[in-house]
Amino acid sequence: MTFIEKFSIIIMLLQGVVMFFDEFYFHHKRKLPKWERIGHPIDTFFFILCYLVVLFLPMTKLTIMVYLFFAILSCLVIIKDEIIHINKCSVYEQYLHAILFILHPVVLIILFFTWSSIVNIGVENSIFLKVININNFIKFQFYLVMLFFTYQIVYWNFIYKENKLNAKISYK
């Protein structure tokens, strides 16, 4: 595995850890109003679209344009809530969002540059390296993102019950 592949995996892991902390610490701490319970799965959906293109479509001029469209749209969609977050989130959560806004396009760039090799996994000398490589990691991450997407929809929209007290809380 090359240095770039190792670095890419570290960046993608970092994004996952930061997203995990945002979701399971900050979101559960402040509880999500309805607009976020709907909006966050939309953010994840556009991220998933990028993975779907890379994992299931061949790299052609048309699919590159489709990928770039989805990637740009994904980067724009994730910032849609920030005007409201100014008044609803703590400074620490806003810093965490800033980190996520930096990592999001970096991960999409990594995904793009890995696309051509997803199908053509190189043969390594070590059995461990045959299993742990950037291509397999991207496939694994795709399944994790799909699981997270399902969690966002199911937990925040069907399991979580917003009571009247939470609905009246001001986050200023």
Side-chain angles (χ1 to χ4, degrees), residues 90-116:
S90 71
V91 171
Y92 301 110
E93 186 175 0
Q94 290 179 34
Y95 280 128
L96 202 71
H97 290 169
I99 293 168
L100 287 169
F101 296 149
I102 292 167
L103 293 173
H104 188 85
V106 173
V107 168
L108 291 172
I109 290 167
I110 290 167
L111 191 58
F112 178 80
F113 282 111
T114 309
W115 186 358
S116 65

Side-chain angles (χ1 to χ4, degrees), residues 29-31 33 35 84-90 162-172:
K29 181 179 177 182
R30 69 177 169 87
K31 309 299 180 199
W35 60 271
I84 299 169
H85 282 161
I86 289 170
N87 296 320
K88 305 262 183 212
C89 300
S90 71
E162 181 178 31
N163 62 37
K164 292 179 183 179
L165 177 65
N166 285 339
K168 293 179 181 179
I169 292 176
S170 171
Y171 295 96
K172 291 183 181 179

Side-chain angles (χ1 to χ4, degrees), residues 1 5 9 12 51 55 111 114 117-122 124 126-144:
M1 191 169 5
E5 290 173 328
I9 288 172
M12 295 167 87
Y51 273 90
L55 291 173
L111 191 58
T114 309
S117 69
I118 292 285
V119 177
N120 305 319
I121 297 174
E124 302 284 347
S126 165
I127 292 173
F128 177 74
L129 290 177
K130 285 182 183 179
V131 175
I132 305 297
N133 62 46
I134 188 72
N135 300 314
N136 288 337
F137 185 80
I138 286 173
K139 291 173 187 175
F140 176 71
Q141 188 184 27
F142 167 73
Y143 293 116
L144 286 179

Side-chain angles (χ1 to χ4, degrees), residues 45 47-57 111 142 146:
F45 173 76
F47 192 57
I48 287 170
L49 287 177
C50 297
Y51 273 90
L52 290 173
V53 171
V54 167
L55 291 173
F56 298 106
L57 297 176
L111 191 58
F142 167 73
M146 290 295 294

